[in-house]
Amino acid sequence: QAQLVESGGGLVQAGGSLRLSCAASGLSISRRVMAWFRQATGKEREFVAGVRSDGLGEYTDSVKDRFTIIRDNARNTVILQMDSLKPEDTAIYYCAADEGHYIIETSPSEYDFWGRGTQVTVSS
């Protein structure tokens, strides 16, 4: 059974860093687009970052130059390194896997597998 498990969330002060990890089991990430989404209280789930099978990443404008998405195919894991965190980054962060390997979709409906999420809270 395919499963994605996120870890690494927590409480951090503004300007700090967190490193989220998404461990996949029951499916190989090597030929899939992988992505991170987030959902703040009362808001819709939004795209944060995605990475193609060749390692090329894309980011939503609000996190460019602060977040980095990294895929580790050998460990079947995707990392989201988050630096210079802001209070508006507070949300539940979800890992997602797409069947495609090249186009990074930004709509949640395009993704086939999801983790349960990890809470990130940034205090001011």
Side-chain angles (χ1 to χ4, degrees):
Q1 183 178 356
Q3 195 172 16
L4 300 176
V5 179
E6 303 94 338
S7 61
L11 174 64
V12 65
Q13 288 188 333
S17 298
L18 282 174
R19 187 175 177 92
L20 304 184
S21 180
C22 170
S25 60
L27 65 89
S28 172
I29 72 166
S30 63
R31 295 182 62 81
R32 292 176 178 271
V33 165
M34 300 295 296
W36 287 92
F37 287 75
R38 66 187 179 187
Q39 188 165 16
T41 302
K43 295 188 177 181
E44 293 186 352
R45 192 168 297 191
E46 66 170 354
F47 174 82
V48 175
V51 60
R52 299 187 329 192
S53 59
D54 62 1
L56 181 69
E58 293 182 2
Y59 304 86
T60 193
D61 286 346
S62 63
V63 308
K64 281 180 182 176
D65 300 323
R66 299 190 298 121
F67 290 11
T68 304
I69 187 168
I70 305 163
R71 66 188 305 135
D72 184 342
N73 291 337
R75 290 180 171 84
N76 220 27
T77 298
V78 179
I79 301 296
L80 185 68
Q81 176 66 41
M82 305 188 296
D83 299 317
S84 302
L85 282 161
K86 303 176 181 180
E88 51 263 44
D89 294 319
T90 295
I92 299 174
Y93 283 70
Y94 297 90
C95 178
D98 188 2
E99 282 192 350
H101 68 95
Y102 190 77
I103 297 174
I104 299 175
E105 302 286 354
T106 59
S107 170
S109 63
E110 297 293 333
Y111 289 79
D112 306 288
F113 299 99
W114 290 85
R116 292 187 175 184
T118 185
Q119 176 70 48
V120 171
T121 303
V122 184
S123 63
S124 56

